């Protein structure tokens, strides 16, 4: 790798390029040549985001001894296929796959607002700056884009974007996730823009021909002016008329396997994610359909949603492992925070759980993460970190490293200042260290 | 125009022009000039004639080979053939004269005027002088291009077919264009559209990361929009924001101080520098920003008993310094070595010394809100940033590029591309009571603004000298509004916050949405501003592959084409195919189709052929037969409708529709 490619601001100063110019130079070089210098263990990442915040003590950090005030309706924990690890009673399938993943039970940031917590968990940056940082998926897309030649965009969201902060941040729309829309559990997965309802390939081709013939301005213009738009259009047509869209055709999969993932939207999203990873898509996000913001009716909703999550996620891990893809595919699953370990029994909640950022759980697997381990722990009521706190920069930093991206690399800051992939540790940005114990 | 068209040889109707353009320079070529439009006229009749005409041309030039436009294969001629064709050319020329009643315009003829423009004022003199030095001959845009451009630029909307016709068919006169400009500046949509642009700069957004809250965002937007509609002098507009105090729900402009992520004195100073001085304080010496921050060190924020209401006030005693009361934020300049900004407070005794960003020293008296002192310095006519920033911004908004570029990066080492022009505009603006509409008129009426977007010189400095009007993709809001207007459909806009102020009545235009948190997947996909920093490049009008996918093939757009009542109306069976094509072009592209285009479009899926007589339902036929006939009719109707849908689809996917040009 060329040494010029690794110029950081510090190096630039060392080489005698002083003052504001050096920052700009470093920025320009970085912007022109996004390179990651670390070895790549995770070629692809699947992020399962449990938007709204999933309860931790009902799921992956059960505290059976904390009583009904805390455990509510789910008093049991069940053993897993790894000695000494127990998880919540609603996750029998995941219990059989515990050797494939590790659980972080000491995730913490202390933020209880959805947007701020979601931003922090997916960027690692404080929200009090003047700029909006890109989410980890956009950063992956930024660093992987130059080498990525796949037909499907490098950063895909199944099926809807979160909509509460711009995932691409200051990197701009080029790094926006491609949201599929549609429902992979439907008879035909109608991916917005790729698979159109009732338009045959012949009609598509005829239309395209007409489009060319009626393009008066394009024919009059200097071809260089519309070059980018033409490239964008050609790429779009590779998906519309080419083989690229086959990745979304889930009917190519064995019916039994589809059943194993669960015949529901989330389950089939997991299957679609696996198909994309197989073709080399670097970053896939599944935004859990419906969400986990269970202030009210918490327990009925958990009874409904957890089995889908259990089945889909367990099948995904098993299937990835069976195909030899788990080694190169990193899977992480969590919400922006956990939920109040103490149940709100009083009205109007009547058995709900509130936002809770002081401690919660994250599941990580594959792509260089070891399975069958537990990182950190919470106290006996799952209210606070007992040992080994894990902060967003630790989790994200570990994922970046396994993906071959140095968290100290620079991004093109819109104001020409230094913008690191992850911030340096400070009073506002705390760290408990990278997850080296499972890497 | 010669030789700068790179075209798809398989499908381009102007192929012959392209092949033959280079020969225009030769003596033979000039003779041929008279001829060479003719083959174009007849080339849609079939490839044989097409090919024949090219044969003649080749022969005439004594060429021994020719690339067949249909097969793209090289065709070689024997000597005998060449000889024969030389004879043929004479016959052909005669034929062409006969056919000369049929005229076809070159694409650029639809878009440009042939006469060269005379400077219409000082702007043109200053711009054309530079173009002349660069040996660039400016070319004016046609009326067809002008009406579309000026509608989009002034009110963010397309002209209706009726409006387009009214303007196009109006007799030529020296005031034809300026009358339209005057009319548009008084439209309600003018205020909507420019409030949207200011909404980006002033960060009008209820939610993350600005967190104004819905009714405060509405109050802010309402004030901005009304100021624009009233044509409030720009100096007053800015001063009212900088000196505002009161409730965020009741006094719109106080939200200026709330609409920033970093509300420390330095954060406010940096935001103010960006917003009204077009300067990035990050590139300033540290003490310059520290000094400016002192003017904002007495801004207090306190909650009221109403949910999410907050008062912004002059707080010399620092009563709101309590962390629980003040808004969060941390210093933006992390490299600063001076630490926290000194608090100017009455308790510290006498006046505090600081300096304006231009270096002039000032003693801040404890009995005057320092924000007022700063505002008065800023809006003074001699201030080097104030007028410069706004005239440059407006110029960039209208002409796609600042005289200082980027328009929010004004600094000594980023000089204007035409200093005389910028200085003149500044003087005119401050000399006319900071009247924004005067400034718009000045720019819109210039020939510089009205130049063609097609002509390009290839000179790398041409863009910075405004040699042509640059192509820019329509903003997300303008694009979806245009599509909805054309099809007669609506989009649904929502916000994540369940508040009454986030309810959007059906049919409201995207341009007029007050709050950046109220959005739709389309707006997000097409690069609407995130309104997080107020920087101009937060709005991204570049084209990405997912955007093309969406326009070309999404259910969202296809449904509008299939179900939009206006499309059904425009393509009604009662109208002749000719009339339909004309209406569609006027509605979508604001001009009439050329003859060539009409032919191309009507050839698509036999749109032009009258409906074939279908079997009628007679009495005495079986139920099964009846159903079969009904089905047959239904299919035929569907096919006909699909053809028109595809034609509309092609037009809204053409660069001519998607871009300002």
């Amino acid at each position: 790798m060329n040494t010029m490619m690794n110029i950081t601001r510090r190096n630039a100063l060392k080489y005698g390029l002083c003052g504001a110019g050096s920052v700009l130079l470093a920025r320009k070089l970085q912007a022109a040549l996004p390179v990651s210098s670390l070895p790549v263990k995770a070629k692809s990442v699947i992020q399962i985001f449990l938007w709204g915040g999933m309860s931790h003590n009902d799921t992956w950090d059960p505290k059976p001894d904390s009583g009904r005030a805390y455990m509510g309706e789910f008093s049991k924990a069940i053993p897993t296929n790894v000695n000494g690890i127990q998880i919540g009673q609603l996750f029998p399938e995941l219990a059989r796959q515990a050797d494939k993943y590790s659980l972080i039970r000491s995730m913490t940031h202390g933020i209880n607002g959805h947007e701020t917590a979601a931003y922090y968990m997916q960027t690692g940056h404080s929200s009090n700056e003047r700029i909006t940082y890109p989410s980890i998926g956009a950063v992956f897309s930024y660093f992987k884009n130059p080498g990525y030649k796949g037909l499907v965009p490098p950063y895909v969201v199944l099926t809807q974007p979160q909509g509460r902060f711009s995932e691409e941040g200051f990197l701009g729309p080029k790094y926006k996730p491609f949201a599929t829309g549609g429902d992979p559990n439907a008879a035909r997965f109608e991916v917005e823009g790729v698979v159109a309802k009732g338009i045959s390939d012949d009609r598509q081709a005829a239309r395209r021909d007409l489009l060319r013939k009626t393009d008066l301005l394009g024919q009059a213009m200097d071809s260089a002016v519309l070059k980018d738009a033409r490239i964008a259009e050609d790429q779009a047509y590779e998906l519309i008329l080419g083989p690229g869209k086959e990745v979304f055709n889930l009917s190519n999969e064995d019916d039994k396997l589809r059943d194993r993932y669960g015949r529901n939207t989330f389950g089939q999203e997991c299957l679609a994610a696996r198909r994309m990873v197989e073709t080399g898509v670097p970053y896939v996000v599944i935004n859990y359909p419906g969400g986990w913001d269970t202030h009210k009716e918490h327990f009925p909703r958990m009874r409904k949603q957890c089995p889908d999550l259990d089945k889909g996620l367990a099948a995904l891990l098993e299937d990835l492992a069976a195909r030899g893809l788990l080694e190169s595919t990193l899977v992480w699953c969590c919400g922006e925070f956990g939920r109040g370990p103490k149940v709100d029994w009083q009205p109007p909640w009547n058995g709900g759980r509130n936002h809770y950022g002081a401690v919660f759980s994250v599941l990580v697997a594959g792509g260089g993460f070891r399975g069958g381990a537990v990182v950190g722990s919470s106290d006996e009521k799952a209210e606070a970190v007992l040992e080994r706190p894990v902060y967003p920069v630790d989790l994200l930093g570990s994922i970046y490293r396994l993906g071959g991206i140095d968290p100290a690399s620079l991004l093109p800051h819109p104001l020409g200042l230094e913008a690191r992939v992850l911030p340096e540790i400070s009073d506002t940005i705390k760290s408990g260290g990278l997850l080296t114990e499972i890497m | 125009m010669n030789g700068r068209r790179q075209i798809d040889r398989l499908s381009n109707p102007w192929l012959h022009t392209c092949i033959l353009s280079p020969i225009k320079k030769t003596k033979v070529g000039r003779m041929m000039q008279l001829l060479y439009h003719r083959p174009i006229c007849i080339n849609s009749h079939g490839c044989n004639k097409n090919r024949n005409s090219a044969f003649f041309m080749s022969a005439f030039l004594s060429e021994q080979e020719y690339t067949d436009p249909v097969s793209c294969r090289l065709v070689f001629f024997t000597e005998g053939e060449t000889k024969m064709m030389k004879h043929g050319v004479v016959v052909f020329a005669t034929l062409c004269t006969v056919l000369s009643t049929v005229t076809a315009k070159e694409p650029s003829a639809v878009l440009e005027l042939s006469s060269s423009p005379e400077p219409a004022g000082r702007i043109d003199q200053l711009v054309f002088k530079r173009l002349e030095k660069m040996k660039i001959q400016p070319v004016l845009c046609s009326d067809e291009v002008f009406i579309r451009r000026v509608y989009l630029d002034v009110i963010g909307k397309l002209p209706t077919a009726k409006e387009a016709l009214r303007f196009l068919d109006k007799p030529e006169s020296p005031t034809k264009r300026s009358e339209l400009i005057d009319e548009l500046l008084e439209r309600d949509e003018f205020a909507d559209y420019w409030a949207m642009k200011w909404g980006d700069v002033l960060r009008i957004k209820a939610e993350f990361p600005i967190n104004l809250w819905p009714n405060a965002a509405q109050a802010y937007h309402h004030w901005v929009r009304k100021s624009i509609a009233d044509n409030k002098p720009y100096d007053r507009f800015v001063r009212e924001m900088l000196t505002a105090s009161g409730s965020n729900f009741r006094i719109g402009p106080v939200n200026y101080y709330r609409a920033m992520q970093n509300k420390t004195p330095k954060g406010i100073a940096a935001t103010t520098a960006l917003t009204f001085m077009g300067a990035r304080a990050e590139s300033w010496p540290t003490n310059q920003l520290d000094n400016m921050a002192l003017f904002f060190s007495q801004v207090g924020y306190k909650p009221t008993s109403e949910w999410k209401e907050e008062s912004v006030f002059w707080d010399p005693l620092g009563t709101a310094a309590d962390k629980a009361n003040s808004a969060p934020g941390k210093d933006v300049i992390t490299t600063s070595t001076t630490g926290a900004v000194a608090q100017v407070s009455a308790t510290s005794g006498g006046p505090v010394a600081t300096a304006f960003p231009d270096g002039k020293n000032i003693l801040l008296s404890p009995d005057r809100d320092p924000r007022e002192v700063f505002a008065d310095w800023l809006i003074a006519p001699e201030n080097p940033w104030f007028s410069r920033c706004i005239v440059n911004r407006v110029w960039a908004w209208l002409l796609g590029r600042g005289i200082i570029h980027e328009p929010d990066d004004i600094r000594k080492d980023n000089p204007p591309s035409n200093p005389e022009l910028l200085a003149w505009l500044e003087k005119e603006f401050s000399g006319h009571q900071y009247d924004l509409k005067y400034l718009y008129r000045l720019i819109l009426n210039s020939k510089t603004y009205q130049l063609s977007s097609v002509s390009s010189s290839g000179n790398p400095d041409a863009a910075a000298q405004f040699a042509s009007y640059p192509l820019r993709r329509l903003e997300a809001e303008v694009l979806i509004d245009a599509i909805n207007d054309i099809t007669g459909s609506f989009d649904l806009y929502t916000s994540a916050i369940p508040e009454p102020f986030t309810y959007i009545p059906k049919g409201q235009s995207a341009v007029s949405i007050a709050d950046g948190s109220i959005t739709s997947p389309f707006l997000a996909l097409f690069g609407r501003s995130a309104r997080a920093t107020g920087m101009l490049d937060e709005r991204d009008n570049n084209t990405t592959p997912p955007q093309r996918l969406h326009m070309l093939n999404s259910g969202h757009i296809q449904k509008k084409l299939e179900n939009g009542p206006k499309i059904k109306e425009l393509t009604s069976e009662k109208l002749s195919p000719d009339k339909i094509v004309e209406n569609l072009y006027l509605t979508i592209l604001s001009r009439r189709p050329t003859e060539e285009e009409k032919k191309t479009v009507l050839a698509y899926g036999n749109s032009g052929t009258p409906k074939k007589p279908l079997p009628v339902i007679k009495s005495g036929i079986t139920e099964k037969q009846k159903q079969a006939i009904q089905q047959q009719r239904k299919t035929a109707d569907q096919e006909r409708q699909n053809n028109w849908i595809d034609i509309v689809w092609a037009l809204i996917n053409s660069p001519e529709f998607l871009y300002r040009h």
Side-chain angles (χ1 to χ4, degrees):
Chain A
M1 200 137 290
N2 193 324
T3 48
M4 275 300 279
M5 289 180 175
N6 291 325
I7 288 190
T8 62
R9 185 174 179 220
R10 201 160 288 125
N11 284 339
L13 287 171
K14 205 163 72 190
Y15 298 140
L17 309 161
C18 292
S22 69
V23 182
L24 293 175
L25 175 67
R27 175 193 169 192
K28 272 201 183 121
L29 285 173
Q30 198 69 40
L33 305 160
V35 285
S36 42
S37 46
L38 300 173
V40 180
K41 286 188 179 152
K43 287 184 191 146
S44 296
V45 177
I46 300 174
Q47 176 191 351
I48 299 172
F49 200 67
L50 307 173
W51 171 257
M54 184 182 74
S55 160
H56 49 293
N57 49 344
D58 290 336
T59 57
W60 301 331
D61 191 11
K63 305 283 179 181
D65 300 333
S66 57
R68 188 170 181 271
Y70 287 84
M71 291 306 287
E73 294 178 18
F74 307 130
S75 54
K76 259 175 41 193
I78 54 171
T80 66
N81 69 348
V82 174
N83 261 344
I85 300 181
Q86 291 199 322
I87 57 173
Q89 67 190 62
L90 294 173
F91 293 89
E93 297 294 330
L94 272 177
R96 277 191 275 277
Q97 308 294 335
D99 56 321
K100 299 191 179 62
Y101 57 84
S102 290
L103 293 171
I104 300 165
R105 286 178 170 163
S106 52
M107 191 71 213
T108 179
H109 52 57
I111 298 167
N112 290 338
H114 287 295
E115 285 83 6
T116 319
Y119 178 77
Y120 195 22
M121 279 299 285
Q122 293 174 88
T123 66
H125 289 267
S126 147
S127 58
N128 287 337
E129 299 202 34
R130 277 185 60 207
I131 51 171
T132 308
Y133 274 83
S135 69
I136 177 168
V139 174
F140 262 80
S141 168
Y142 174 73
F143 281 101
K144 303 286 174 193
N145 213 8
Y148 176 69
K149 296 276 177 280
L151 292 173
V152 179
Y155 175 23
V156 181
V157 166
L158 291 157
T159 55
Q160 297 298 336
Q162 287 163 25
R164 285 195 174 184
F165 89 93
S166 315
E167 287 98 332
E168 72 277 20
F170 56 69
L171 290 179
K174 198 177 162 198
Y175 298 98
K176 185 179 267 306
F178 173 73
T180 62
D183 179 1
N185 193 42
R188 191 167 179 230
F189 183 14
E190 279 168 5
V191 177
E192 189 67 327
V194 178
V195 183
K197 218 177 196 160
I199 298 178
S200 66
D201 281 2
D202 283 350
R203 189 169 163 204
Q204 290 282 13
R207 274 181 161 201
R208 190 180 190 190
D209 185 47
L210 179 66
L211 177 61
R212 284 180 181 157
K213 284 183 185 156
T214 50
D215 180 11
L216 182 122
L217 181 70
Q219 283 157 358
M221 288 303 297
D222 189 324
S223 61
V225 179
L226 287 163
K227 197 174 136 227
D228 286 350
R230 299 266 188 247
I231 292 172
E233 188 169 306
D234 288 346
Q235 284 184 13
Y237 268 110
E238 275 177 33
L239 271 178
I240 297 171
L241 290 170
K245 65 181 175 214
E246 269 311 296
V247 71
F248 300 112
N249 188 356
L250 300 190
S251 60
N252 289 347
E253 293 285 334
D254 181 41
D255 266 351
K256 277 191 198 124
L257 183 70
R258 291 193 74 176
D259 291 344
R260 247 170 59 208
Y261 273 89
R263 292 287 188 160
N264 55 71
T265 301
F266 174 73
Q268 301 303 304
E269 283 175 347
C270 286
L271 178 57
R274 191 221 76 208
R275 287 177 64 85
M276 279 186 249
V277 160
E278 266 177 327
T279 65
V281 178
Y283 206 97
V284 183
V285 179
I286 299 174
N287 281 324
Y288 198 95
W292 297 80
D293 198 11
T294 51
H295 291 279
K296 294 179 183 177
E297 303 203 336
H298 170 80
F299 293 101
R301 280 177 67 186
M302 291 298 275
R303 275 187 202 286
K304 194 179 163 294
Q305 286 191 175
C306 288
D308 289 353
L309 174 63
D310 181 44
K311 222 175 164 183
L313 182 50
L316 174 65
L317 295 175
E318 200 184 2
D319 197 11
L320 283 173
R323 287 163 196 263
L325 285 168
L326 192 58
E327 261 176 57
S328 59
T329 307
L330 191 154
V331 181
W332 64 294
C333 175
C334 64
E336 65 270 39
F337 39 53
R339 301 205 80 81
K342 199 169 177 196
V343 182
D344 292 321
W345 289 110
Q346 74 282 11
W349 316 116
N350 303 319
R353 292 189 191 274
N354 226 315
H355 304 170
Y356 203 78
V359 66
F360 57 106
S361 302
V362 181
L363 181 150
V364 294
F369 278 130
R370 181 159 69 78
V374 169
V375 176
S377 62
S378 60
D379 64 11
E380 74 247 17
K381 288 173 176 165
E383 286 180 318
V385 174
L386 186 67
E387 53 184 0
R388 211 286 187 220
V390 176
Y391 292 91
V393 284
D394 306 327
L395 174 64
L396 297 175
S398 305
I399 299 171
Y400 278 130
R401 286 204 161 266
L402 293 174
I405 297 167
D406 183 349
S409 326
L410 296 184
L411 297 168
H413 190 293
L415 294 164
L417 299 177
E418 187 176 283
R420 287 164 46 117
V421 167
L422 285 177
E424 279 179 290
I425 312 309
S426 68
D427 290 347
T428 41
I429 304 293
K430 291 188 185 135
S431 164
L434 292 177
L435 302 167
T436 45
E437 57 266 58
I438 53 167
M439 285 162 74
Chain B
M1 298 188 310
N2 297 341
R4 66 179 160 79
R5 250 171 243 140
Q6 290 176 13
I7 42 93
D8 178 348
R9 294 197 153 213
L10 273 176
S11 61
N12 193 296
W14 290 282
L15 184 86
H16 296 265
T17 319
C18 305
I19 293 174
L20 296 169
S21 288
I23 64 153
K24 270 161 82 179
K25 290 191 186 93
T26 64
K27 200 174 168 190
V28 179
R30 252 176 240 122
M31 279 163 59
M32 287 301 296
Q33 233 175 339
L34 198 110
L35 267 172
Y36 94 106
H37 276 290
R38 299 338 181 238
I40 308 167
C41 305
I42 58 167
N43 77 6
S44 65
H45 290 199
C47 34
N48 283 334
K49 274 185 192 153
N50 208 340
R51 190 168 152 170
N52 283 345
S53 61
F55 270 42
F56 288 131
M57 293 306 167
S58 310
F60 197 84
L61 293 168
S62 305
E63 277 177 4
Q64 303 272 305
E65 59 175 64
Y66 163 64
T67 308
D68 186 325
V70 179
S71 65
C72 261
R73 272 194 300 256
L74 268 182
V75 179
F76 295 91
F77 306 125
T78 62
E79 233 173 88
E81 274 175 333
T82 313
K83 213 171 174 185
M84 192 182 76
M85 282 182 283
K86 275 183 185 172
H87 283 285
V89 124
V90 182
V91 182
F92 182 71
T94 322
L95 180 72
C96 287
T97 323
V98 177
L99 282 173
S100 65
T101 42
V102 187
T103 54
K105 277 181 166 180
E106 264 198 274
S108 57
V110 180
L111 307 167
E112 297 178 326
L113 295 184
S114 50
S115 58
S116 45
E118 289 297 316
R122 191 77 188 126
I123 292 178
D124 298 334
Q125 287 168 1
L126 291 168
V127 171
F128 289 5
K129 202 169 78 186
R130 285 186 175 248
L131 296 183
E132 205 176 317
K133 265 191 205 149
M134 297 165 77
K135 301 205 170 25
I136 296 173
Q137 173 63 50
V139 181
L140 270 187
C141 71
S142 64
D143 274 354
E144 284 85 347
V145 169
F146 176 76
I147 183 178
R148 186 180 177 84
R149 179 187 297 177
V150 77
Y151 264 76
L152 289 168
D153 284 347
V154 178
I155 65 169
K157 266 181 87 130
L158 290 180
T160 62
K162 224 169 145 187
E163 286 169 329
L165 272 184
R166 202 190 53 178
F167 177 76
L168 295 176
D169 292 347
K170 215 170 166 181
E172 282 309 317
S173 88
T175 56
K176 186 175 174 184
R177 292 187 179 186
S178 65
E179 279 165 19
L180 181 62
I181 292 168
D182 287 346
E183 191 188 304
L184 289 172
L185 285 170
E186 297 311 316
R187 293 262 298 245
D188 276 353
E189 297 99 327
F190 167 77
D192 291 340
Y193 182 54
W194 289 86
M196 177 188 99
K197 289 191 178 269
W198 277 105
D200 293 354
V201 173
L202 297 171
R203 309 157 306 273
I204 306 180
K205 188 178 191 185
E207 265 288 331
F208 188 86
I210 289 298
N211 299 326
L212 280 175
W213 198 248
N215 30 358
Q218 295 289 336
Y220 195 11
H221 179 265
H222 180 81
W223 176 83
V224 169
R225 191 192 174 282
K226 186 159 187 328
S227 301
I228 293 166
D230 295 347
N231 198 28
K232 185 180 282 174
Y234 179 70
D235 55 341
R236 249 182 65 205
F237 178 62
V238 174
R239 196 180 191 283
E240 281 176 26
M241 266 184 278
L242 286 177
T243 59
S245 290
S247 153
N248 58 339
F249 293 171
R250 287 164 187 80
I251 313 290
V254 302
N255 287 294
Y256 172 76
Y257 284 104
R258 299 180 65 252
M260 38 188 106
Q261 288 186 73
N262 182 335
K263 300 187 187 81
T264 61
K266 267 202 221 173
I268 299 172
T271 303
T272 303
L274 181 76
T275 314
F276 302 123
M277 297 162 70
R280 301 179 183 176
E282 287 73 11
S283 65
W284 285 359
T286 319
N287 67 334
Q288 191 175 336
L289 185 65
D290 285 346
N291 283 333
M292 182 166 158
L294 280 171
F295 295 99
F296 301 102
S297 63
Q298 298 174 20
V299 181
Y301 303 88
K302 65 179 176 195
T304 75
S305 54
E306 196 178 331
W307 169 243
K308 296 279 182 184
E309 190 183 39
E310 188 177 59
S311 277
V312 176
F313 67 110
W314 177 33
D315 184 23
L317 299 173
T319 56
D322 175 17
K323 268 208 166 160
N325 282 350
S326 68
K330 74 182 177 77
D331 272 352
V332 59
I333 308 296
T334 44
T335 49
S336 161
T337 51
T338 52
V341 176
Q343 187 85 11
V344 189
S345 83
T347 50
S348 69
V352 170
T354 185
F356 292 112
D358 60 2
K360 207 180 110 203
N361 290 320
I362 172 87
L363 282 179
L364 292 178
S365 143
D367 51 14
R368 192 167 181 224
D369 186 344
R371 295 183 301 166
E372 289 183 4
V373 180
F374 181 82
D376 290 342
W377 166 82
L378 180 69
I379 64 174
E382 62 275 13
N383 185 293
W385 281 282
F386 188 61
S387 295
R388 169 163 295 202
C389 170
I390 185 64
V391 299
N392 191 49
R393 253 188 215 281
V394 171
W395 182 276
W397 270 328
L398 293 174
L399 281 133
R401 185 189 170 101
I403 304 169
I404 296 176
H405 194 67
E406 304 281 333
D408 52 14
D409 194 11
I410 297 179
R411 57 189 149 83
K412 277 209 182 80
D413 47 352
N414 184 21
S417 62
N418 187 336
E420 301 86 7
L421 174 64
L422 186 61
W424 183 79
L425 287 169
E426 286 171 40
K427 235 179 107 221
E428 275 296 295
F429 182 60
S430 60
H432 282 82
Q433 291 79 47
Y434 300 95
D435 178 347
L436 282 167
K437 281 194 184 170
Y438 174 79
L439 181 63
Y440 290 121
R441 274 197 189 90
L442 214 53
I443 298 172
L444 294 168
N445 279 306
S446 71
K447 294 280 191 288
T448 304
Y449 170 75
Q450 300 176 11
L451 291 183
S452 159
S453 57
V454 180
S455 297
S456 75
S457 66
N459 188 322
D461 294 328
Q465 296 302 337
F466 310 102
S468 58
Y469 179 93
L471 243 63
R472 286 162 290 153
R473 206 203 72 221
L474 300 183
E475 297 109 315
E477 297 91 329
V478 174
L479 180 57
I480 193 64
D481 282 352
I483 294 168
N484 282 336
D485 284 348
I486 289 166
T487 54
S489 50
F490 306 109
D491 264 48
L492 181 68
Y493 302 105
T494 56
S495 161
I497 323 167
E499 269 279 300
F501 280 108
T502 56
Y503 168 77
I504 298 298
K506 195 177 161 188
Q508 184 175 342
S509 70
V511 164
S512 67
I513 292 172
D515 174 356
S517 291
I518 301 173
T519 187
S520 71
F522 184 94
L523 294 184
L525 178 62
F526 282 79
R528 184 198 200 196
S529 171
R531 293 188 177 176
T533 64
M535 290 179 64
L536 290 174
D537 63 6
E538 263 192 299
R539 180 177 282 283
D540 194 316
N541 293 335
N542 288 319
T543 299
T544 64
Q547 290 170 359
R548 286 309 286 142
L549 276 177
H550 194 96
M551 280 300 299
L552 293 166
N553 205 30
S554 69
H556 175 231
I557 300 296
Q558 181 66 16
K559 265 183 217 134
K560 288 177 190 295
L561 299 178
E562 283 173 5
N563 307 331
K566 188 113 179 271
I567 297 292
K568 292 210 171 101
E569 207 178 287
L570 282 168
T571 59
S572 159
E573 270 180 58
K574 291 174 196 135
L575 301 168
S576 74
D578 260 35
K579 189 75 196 154
I580 294 176
V581 177
E582 186 163 312
N583 281 346
L584 289 178
Y585 266 78
L586 280 164
T587 307
I588 300 169
L589 301 179
S590 322
R591 64 172 173 85
R592 292 189 175 94
T594 64
E595 286 304 316
E596 195 61 38
E597 284 172 324
K598 244 186 206 171
K599 278 181 205 155
T600 309
V601 165
L602 291 176
Y604 181 79
N606 298 323
S607 314
T609 35
K611 248 167 83 172
K612 273 184 226 141
L614 289 168
V616 279
I617 300 168
K618 290 181 208 143
S619 57
I621 57 170
T622 65
E623 189 58 28
K624 213 173 171 187
Q625 283 170 319
K626 201 173 145 188
Q627 275 175 6
I629 291 171
Q630 277 169 343
Q631 188 55 44
Q632 208 179 338
R633 289 175 156 268
K634 214 176 142 188
T635 313
D637 278 351
Q638 193 55 53
E639 261 173 33
R640 178 190 172 276
Q641 193 55 30
N642 281 351
N643 285 337
W644 287 119
I645 286 171
D646 288 357
I647 289 161
V648 175
W649 171 92
L651 295 183
I652 65 164
N653 271 296
S654 67
E656 195 179 346
F657 174 76
L658 294 168
Y659 289 77
R660 284 163 204 281
H661 61 87

